[in-house]
Coordinates of all heavy atoms in Angstrom, one line a residue:
M1 N -12.4 -17.8 29.6 CA -11.5 -16.7 29.1 C -12.4 -15.6 28.5 O -13.4 -15.9 27.9 CB -10.6 -17.3 28.0 CG -9.7 -16.3 27.5 SD -8.4 -16.9 26.4 CE -9.3 -17.4 25.0
L2 N -12.0 -14.4 28.6 CA -12.6 -13.2 28.1 C -11.9 -12.9 26.8 O -10.7 -12.7 26.7 CB -12.6 -12.1 29.0 CG -13.6 -12.1 30.2 CD1 -13.4 -10.8 31.0 CD2 -15.0 -12.2 29.7
V3 N -12.7 -12.7 25.7 CA -12.2 -12.3 24.4 C -13.0 -11.1 24.0 O -14.3 -11.2 23.8 CB -12.3 -13.4 23.4 CG1 -11.8 -13.0 22.0 CG2 -11.5 -14.7 23.8
N4 N -12.4 -10.0 23.8 CA -13.1 -8.7 23.5 C -14.3 -8.5 24.4 O -15.4 -8.1 23.9 CB -13.5 -8.8 22.0 CG -12.3 -8.8 21.1 OD1 -11.2 -8.5 21.5 ND2 -12.5 -9.1 19.8
G5 N -14.2 -8.8 25.6 CA -15.2 -8.5 26.6 C -16.2 -9.7 26.8 O -17.1 -9.5 27.7
A6 N -16.2 -10.7 26.0 CA -17.2 -11.8 26.0 C -16.5 -13.0 26.5 O -15.4 -13.4 26.2 CB -17.8 -12.0 24.7
E7 N -17.3 -13.8 27.4 CA -16.8 -15.0 27.9 C -16.8 -16.1 26.7 O -17.7 -16.3 26.0 CB -17.7 -15.5 29.0 CG -17.2 -16.8 29.7 CD -16.0 -16.4 30.6 OE1 -15.8 -15.3 31.2 OE2 -15.1 -17.4 30.7
V8 N -15.6 -16.8 26.6 CA -15.4 -17.7 25.5 C -14.8 -19.0 26.2 O -13.9 -18.9 26.9 CB -14.5 -17.2 24.4 CG1 -14.3 -18.3 23.4 CG2 -15.2 -16.0 23.7
S9 N -15.3 -20.2 25.7 CA -14.8 -21.4 26.2 C -13.5 -21.8 25.4 O -13.5 -21.6 24.2 CB -15.8 -22.6 26.1 OG -15.2 -23.8 26.5
L10 N -12.5 -22.3 26.0 CA -11.4 -22.8 25.3 C -11.6 -24.3 24.9 O -10.8 -24.8 24.1 CB -10.1 -22.8 26.2 CG -9.6 -21.4 26.5 CD1 -8.4 -21.5 27.5 CD2 -9.2 -20.6 25.2
E11 N -12.6 -24.9 25.3 CA -12.9 -26.3 25.0 C -13.6 -26.3 23.6 O -14.5 -25.6 23.4 CB -13.7 -27.0 26.0 CG -13.0 -27.3 27.3 CD -13.8 -28.1 28.2 OE1 -14.8 -28.8 27.9 OE2 -13.4 -28.2 29.4
D12 N -13.2 -27.3 22.8 CA -13.9 -27.5 21.5 C -15.1 -28.5 21.7 O -15.3 -28.9 22.8 CB -12.9 -27.9 20.4 CG -12.3 -29.3 20.7 OD1 -12.8 -30.1 21.5 OD2 -11.3 -29.6 20.0
S13 N -15.7 -28.8 20.6 CA -16.9 -29.8 20.8 C -16.5 -31.2 21.3 O -17.4 -31.9 21.7 CB -17.6 -29.8 19.4 OG -16.7 -30.4 18.4
N14 N -15.2 -31.5 21.2 CA -14.8 -32.9 21.7 C -14.3 -32.8 23.1 O -13.8 -33.8 23.6 CB -13.7 -33.4 20.7 CG -14.2 -33.6 19.3 OD1 -15.3 -34.1 19.2 ND2 -13.3 -33.4 18.4
G15 N -14.3 -31.6 23.7 CA -13.8 -31.5 25.1 C -12.3 -31.2 25.2 O -11.8 -31.2 26.3
N16 N -11.7 -31.0 24.0 CA -10.2 -30.7 24.1 C -10.1 -29.1 24.2 O -10.8 -28.4 23.6 CB -9.6 -31.1 22.7 CG -9.7 -32.6 22.6 OD1 -9.5 -33.4 23.5 ND2 -10.1 -33.0 21.4
K17 N -9.1 -28.8 25.0 CA -8.8 -27.3 25.1 C -7.8 -26.8 24.1 O -6.8 -27.5 23.9 CB -8.3 -27.0 26.6 CG -9.4 -26.9 27.6 CD -8.8 -26.3 28.8 CE -9.9 -26.0 29.8 NZ -9.4 -25.3 31.0
V18 N -8.0 -25.7 23.6 CA -7.0 -25.0 22.8 C -5.9 -24.5 23.8 O -6.3 -24.0 24.9 CB -7.5 -24.0 21.8 CG1 -8.4 -24.5 20.8 CG2 -8.3 -22.9 22.6
K19 N -4.7 -24.5 23.4 CA -3.6 -24.2 24.4 C -2.8 -23.0 24.0 O -2.0 -22.5 24.8 CB -2.8 -25.4 24.7 CG -3.6 -26.5 25.3 CD -2.8 -27.7 25.6 CE -3.7 -28.8 26.2 NZ -3.1 -30.0 26.5
T20 N -2.9 -22.6 22.7 CA -2.0 -21.5 22.3 C -2.9 -20.4 21.5 O -4.0 -20.7 21.1 CB -0.9 -22.0 21.3 OG1 -1.6 -22.5 20.2 CG2 0.0 -22.9 22.0
I21 N -2.3 -19.2 21.4 CA -3.1 -18.2 20.7 C -3.4 -18.6 19.2 O -4.5 -18.5 18.8 CB -2.3 -16.9 20.7 CG1 -2.3 -16.3 22.1 CG2 -2.8 -15.9 19.7 CD1 -1.5 -15.0 22.3
I22 N -2.4 -19.2 18.6 CA -2.7 -19.6 17.1 C -3.8 -20.7 17.0 O -4.6 -20.6 16.2 CB -1.4 -20.0 16.4 CG1 -1.6 -20.1 14.9 CG2 -0.9 -21.4 16.9 CD1 -1.8 -18.8 14.3
A23 N -3.8 -21.6 18.0 CA -4.8 -22.6 18.0 C -6.2 -22.0 18.2 O -7.2 -22.3 17.5 CB -4.6 -23.7 19.0
F24 N -6.3 -21.0 19.1 CA -7.6 -20.3 19.3 C -8.0 -19.5 18.1 O -9.1 -19.6 17.6 CB -7.5 -19.4 20.5 CG -8.7 -18.6 20.8 CD1 -9.8 -19.2 21.4 CD2 -8.9 -17.3 20.4 CE1 -11.0 -18.6 21.6 CE2 -10.1 -16.6 20.6 CZ -11.1 -17.3 21.2
L25 N -7.0 -18.8 17.5 CA -7.3 -18.0 16.3 C -7.8 -18.9 15.2 O -8.8 -18.6 14.5 CB -6.1 -17.2 15.8 CG -5.6 -16.1 16.8 CD1 -4.3 -15.5 16.3 CD2 -6.7 -15.0 17.0
D26 N -7.2 -20.0 15.0 CA -7.6 -21.0 13.9 C -9.0 -21.5 14.1 O -9.8 -21.5 13.3 CB -6.6 -22.1 13.8 CG -5.3 -21.8 13.2 OD1 -5.2 -20.7 12.6 OD2 -4.4 -22.6 13.3
R27 N -9.3 -21.9 15.4 CA -10.6 -22.4 15.8 C -11.7 -21.4 15.5 O -12.8 -21.7 15.0 CB -10.6 -22.8 17.2 CG -11.9 -23.5 17.6 CD -12.1 -23.8 19.0 NE -12.5 -22.6 19.7 CZ -12.7 -22.5 21.0 NH1 -12.5 -23.5 21.8 NH2 -13.2 -21.4 21.6
E28 N -11.4 -20.1 15.8 CA -12.4 -19.1 15.7 C -12.5 -18.5 14.3 O -13.3 -17.6 14.0 CB -12.1 -17.9 16.7 CG -12.3 -18.5 18.1 CD -13.6 -18.9 18.5 OE1 -14.6 -18.2 18.2 OE2 -13.8 -20.0 19.1
G29 N -11.6 -18.9 13.4 CA -11.6 -18.4 12.0 C -10.9 -17.1 11.7 O -11.2 -16.5 10.7
Y30 N -10.1 -16.7 12.6 CA -9.3 -15.4 12.4 C -8.1 -15.8 11.5 O -7.4 -16.8 11.7 CB -8.7 -14.9 13.7 CG -9.7 -14.2 14.6 CD1 -10.3 -14.9 15.6 CD2 -10.1 -12.9 14.4 CE1 -11.2 -14.3 16.5 CE2 -11.0 -12.3 15.2 CZ -11.5 -13.0 16.3 OH -12.4 -12.4 17.1
G31 N -7.8 -14.9 10.5 CA -6.6 -15.0 9.7 C -5.5 -14.2 10.5 O -5.7 -13.1 10.9
A32 N -4.4 -14.8 10.7 CA -3.4 -14.2 11.5 C -2.7 -13.0 10.8 O -2.0 -12.2 11.4 CB -2.3 -15.2 11.9
G33 N -2.9 -12.8 9.5 CA -2.3 -11.8 8.8 C -2.6 -10.4 9.2 O -1.8 -9.5 9.2
R34 N -3.9 -10.1 9.4 CA -4.3 -8.7 9.6 C -5.0 -8.4 10.9 O -6.0 -7.8 11.0 CB -5.2 -8.2 8.4 CG -4.6 -8.3 7.1 CD -5.4 -7.8 6.0 NE -5.8 -6.4 6.1 CZ -5.2 -5.3 5.7 NH1 -4.1 -5.4 5.1 NH2 -5.7 -4.1 5.9
I35 N -4.4 -9.0 12.0 CA -4.9 -8.8 13.3 C -3.8 -8.5 14.3 O -2.6 -8.7 14.0 CB -5.7 -10.1 13.8 CG1 -4.7 -11.3 14.0 CG2 -6.8 -10.4 13.0 CD1 -5.3 -12.4 14.7
A36 N -4.2 -8.0 15.4 CA -3.2 -7.8 16.5 C -3.9 -8.5 17.8 O -5.1 -8.4 17.9 CB -3.0 -6.3 16.8
V37 N -3.1 -9.1 18.6 CA -3.7 -9.7 19.8 C -3.0 -9.2 21.0 O -1.7 -9.1 21.1 CB -3.4 -11.3 19.8 CG1 -3.9 -11.9 21.1 CG2 -4.1 -11.9 18.6
E38 N -3.8 -8.8 22.0 CA -3.4 -8.3 23.3 C -3.8 -9.4 24.3 O -5.0 -9.7 24.4 CB -3.9 -7.0 23.6 CG -3.5 -6.4 24.9 CD -4.2 -5.1 25.2 OE1 -3.8 -4.0 24.6 OE2 -5.2 -5.1 26.0
K39 N -2.9 -9.8 25.1 CA -3.2 -10.8 26.2 C -2.9 -10.2 27.5 O -1.7 -9.8 27.8 CB -2.3 -12.1 25.9 CG -2.5 -13.1 27.1 CD -1.5 -14.3 26.9 CE -1.4 -15.1 28.1 NZ -0.3 -16.1 28.0
N40 N -3.9 -10.0 28.3 CA -3.7 -9.5 29.7 C -3.0 -8.2 29.7 O -2.2 -7.9 30.5 CB -3.0 -10.5 30.6 CG -3.8 -11.8 30.7 OD1 -5.0 -11.9 30.7 ND2 -3.0 -12.9 30.8
G41 N -3.4 -7.3 28.7 CA -2.8 -6.0 28.6 C -1.5 -5.9 27.9 O -0.9 -4.8 27.8
K42 N -0.9 -6.9 27.4 CA 0.4 -6.9 26.7 C 0.2 -7.4 25.2 O -0.4 -8.5 25.0 CB 1.3 -7.9 27.4 CG 2.7 -7.9 26.8 CD 3.6 -8.9 27.6 CE 4.9 -9.1 26.8 NZ 5.7 -10.1 27.4
I43 N 0.7 -6.6 24.2 CA 0.6 -7.0 22.9 C 1.5 -8.1 22.6 O 2.7 -8.1 23.0 CB 1.0 -5.8 22.0 CG1 -0.1 -4.8 22.1 CG2 1.1 -6.3 20.5 CD1 0.1 -3.5 21.3
I44 N 1.0 -9.2 22.0 CA 1.8 -10.4 21.7 C 2.3 -10.3 20.2 O 1.5 -10.2 19.3 CB 1.0 -11.7 21.9 CG1 0.3 -11.7 23.3 CG2 1.8 -12.9 21.6 CD1 1.4 -11.7 24.4
P45 N 3.6 -10.4 20.0 CA 4.2 -10.4 18.6 C 3.6 -11.6 17.9 O 3.5 -12.7 18.4 CB 5.7 -10.5 18.8 CG 5.9 -10.1 20.3 CD 4.7 -10.5 21.0
K46 N 3.4 -11.4 16.6 CA 2.9 -12.5 15.8 C 3.8 -13.8 15.8 O 3.4 -14.9 15.7 CB 2.7 -12.1 14.3 CG 1.6 -11.2 14.1 CD 1.4 -10.9 12.6 CE 0.4 -9.8 12.3 NZ -0.9 -9.8 13.1
A47 N 5.1 -13.5 15.9 CA 6.1 -14.6 15.9 C 5.9 -15.5 17.2 O 6.3 -16.7 17.1 CB 7.5 -14.0 16.0
K48 N 5.1 -15.1 18.2 CA 4.9 -15.9 19.4 C 3.5 -16.5 19.4 O 3.2 -17.2 20.4 CB 5.2 -15.0 20.6 CG 6.6 -14.6 20.7 CD 6.8 -14.0 22.1 CE 8.3 -13.7 22.2 NZ 8.7 -13.3 23.6
Y49 N 2.7 -16.3 18.4 CA 1.3 -16.8 18.5 C 1.3 -18.4 18.6 O 0.5 -18.9 19.2 CB 0.6 -16.5 17.2 CG 0.1 -15.0 17.1 CD1 0.4 -14.1 18.1 CD2 -0.7 -14.7 16.0 CE1 0.0 -12.8 17.9 CE2 -1.1 -13.4 15.9 CZ -0.8 -12.4 16.8 OH -1.3 -11.1 16.7
E50 N 2.3 -19.0 18.0 CA 2.3 -20.5 18.0 C 2.8 -21.1 19.4 O 2.4 -22.2 19.7 CB 3.2 -21.0 16.9 CG 2.6 -20.8 15.5 CD 3.4 -21.5 14.5 OE1 4.1 -22.6 14.7 OE2 3.4 -21.0 13.3
T51 N 3.5 -20.2 20.1 CA 4.0 -20.8 21.4 C 3.4 -20.1 22.6 O 3.6 -20.6 23.7 CB 5.5 -20.6 21.5 OG1 5.9 -19.2 21.3 CG2 6.2 -21.5 20.4
E52 N 2.7 -19.0 22.5 CA 2.1 -18.3 23.6 C 1.0 -19.0 24.2 O -0.1 -19.2 23.5 CB 1.7 -16.9 23.2 CG 1.2 -16.0 24.3 CD 2.3 -15.6 25.2 OE1 3.5 -15.5 24.8 OE2 2.0 -15.3 26.4
P53 N 1.1 -19.5 25.4 CA 0.0 -20.3 26.0 C -1.2 -19.4 26.4 O -1.0 -18.2 26.7 CB 0.6 -20.9 27.3 CG 1.8 -20.0 27.6 CD 2.2 -19.4 26.3
I54 N -2.4 -20.0 26.4 CA -3.6 -19.3 26.9 C -4.3 -20.2 27.9 O -4.2 -21.4 27.8 CB -4.5 -18.8 25.8 CG1 -4.9 -20.0 24.9 CG2 -3.9 -17.7 25.1 CD1 -6.0 -19.6 23.9
D55 N -5.0 -19.6 28.8 CA -5.9 -20.4 29.7 C -7.1 -19.7 30.1 O -7.3 -18.5 29.7 CB -5.1 -20.9 31.0 CG -4.6 -19.9 31.9 OD1 -5.4 -18.9 32.1 OD2 -3.6 -20.0 32.6
D56 N -7.9 -20.3 30.9 CA -9.2 -19.8 31.2 C -9.2 -18.4 32.0 O -10.2 -17.7 31.9 CB -10.0 -20.8 32.1 CG -10.4 -22.0 31.3 OD1 -10.7 -21.9 30.1 OD2 -10.4 -23.1 31.9
S57 N -8.1 -18.1 32.6 CA -8.1 -16.9 33.4 C -7.6 -15.7 32.5 O -7.5 -14.5 33.0 CB -7.1 -17.0 34.6 OG -5.8 -17.3 34.2
D58 N -7.2 -15.9 31.3 CA -6.7 -14.8 30.4 C -7.8 -14.0 29.9 O -8.9 -14.4 29.8 CB -5.9 -15.4 29.3 CG -4.5 -16.0 29.7 OD1 -3.9 -15.5 30.7 OD2 -4.1 -17.0 29.1
R59 N -7.3 -12.7 29.5 CA -8.2 -11.8 28.8 C -7.5 -11.5 27.4 O -6.4 -11.0 27.4 CB -8.4 -10.5 29.5 CG -9.1 -10.8 30.9 CD -9.1 -9.4 31.6 NE -10.0 -8.5 30.9 CZ -11.2 -8.1 31.3 NH1 -11.7 -8.6 32.4 NH2 -11.8 -7.2 30.6
L60 N -8.2 -11.7 26.3 CA -7.6 -11.4 25.0 C -8.4 -10.3 24.4 O -9.7 -10.2 24.5 CB -7.7 -12.6 24.0 CG -6.9 -13.8 24.3 CD1 -7.0 -14.8 23.2 CD2 -5.4 -13.5 24.5
E61 N -7.7 -9.4 23.7 CA -8.3 -8.4 22.8 C -7.8 -8.7 21.5 O -6.6 -8.7 21.3 CB -8.0 -7.0 23.3 CG -8.6 -6.6 24.6 CD -10.1 -6.5 24.6 OE1 -10.7 -6.1 23.6 OE2 -10.7 -6.8 25.6
I62 N -8.7 -8.9 20.5 CA -8.3 -9.2 19.2 C -8.8 -8.1 18.3 O -10.0 -7.8 18.2 CB -8.8 -10.6 18.7 CG1 -8.3 -11.7 19.7 CG2 -8.4 -10.9 17.3 CD1 -9.0 -13.0 19.4
V63 N -7.9 -7.4 17.6 CA -8.3 -6.3 16.7 C -8.0 -6.7 15.3 O -6.9 -7.2 15.0 CB -7.5 -5.1 17.1 CG1 -7.8 -3.9 16.1 CG2 -7.7 -4.7 18.5
T64 N -9.0 -6.6 14.4 CA -8.8 -6.8 13.0 C -8.7 -5.5 12.2 O -9.4 -4.6 12.4 CB -10.1 -7.6 12.4 OG1 -10.3 -8.7 13.2 CG2 -9.9 -7.9 11.0
F65 N -7.6 -5.5 11.4 CA -7.4 -4.3 10.6 C -8.2 -4.3 9.3 O -8.2 -5.4 8.6 CB -5.9 -4.1 10.3 CG -5.0 -4.0 11.5 CD1 -4.3 -5.1 12.0 CD2 -5.0 -2.9 12.2 CE1 -3.5 -5.0 13.1 CE2 -4.2 -2.8 13.4 CZ -3.5 -3.8 13.8
V66 N -8.8 -3.2 9.0 CA -9.7 -3.2 7.8 C -9.2 -2.0 6.9 O -9.0 -0.9 7.4 CB -11.1 -2.9 8.2 CG1 -12.0 -2.8 7.0 CG2 -11.6 -4.0 9.1
G67 N -9.0 -2.3 5.7 CA -8.5 -1.3 4.8 C -9.7 -0.5 4.2 O -10.8 -0.9 4.4
G68 N -9.4 0.6 3.7 CA -10.5 1.5 3.2 C -10.0 2.9 2.9 O -8.9 3.2 3.2
G69 N -11.0 3.7 2.5 CA -10.5 5.0 2.3 C -11.6 6.0 2.2 O -12.7 6.0 2.5

């Protein structure tokens, strides 16, 4: 799977595949609060992160919002 333009494996160290956006975000250490996820060109609502499936052919763009001034 491509994430922000880089190839990333969905398999963890035990050979198990992550199957949803939220599982991937958790594994990679993203906090779901201040991010946006686009899957294959479509923005995925946060309410669907737990049920939205992902697989090796998907492309994710993950944007983290940073405050400042």
Side-chain angles (χ1 to χ4, degrees):
M1 176 170 74
L2 284 178
V3 179
N4 295 343
E7 189 70 33
V8 176
S9 175
L10 290 177
E11 289 187 14
D12 64 17
S13 59
N14 297 323
N16 300 314
K17 278 191 169 185
V18 293
K19 297 180 181 181
T20 62
I21 288 177
I22 195 69
F24 179 78
L25 294 174
D26 288 345
R27 185 188 82 178
E28 298 297 311
Y30 286 98
R34 299 184 57 92
I35 64 168
V37 178
E38 180 183 282
K39 175 185 163 190
N40 302 325
K42 179 181 172 189
I43 294 175
I44 305 300
K46 288 186 189 318
K48 294 190 175 192
Y49 287 2
E50 290 188 30
T51 58
E52 184 70 28
I54 55 174
D55 67 31
D56 292 323
S57 64
D58 288 327
R59 296 177 65 106
L60 293 184
E61 293 294 326
I62 302 171
V63 179
T64 303
F65 298 103
V66 178

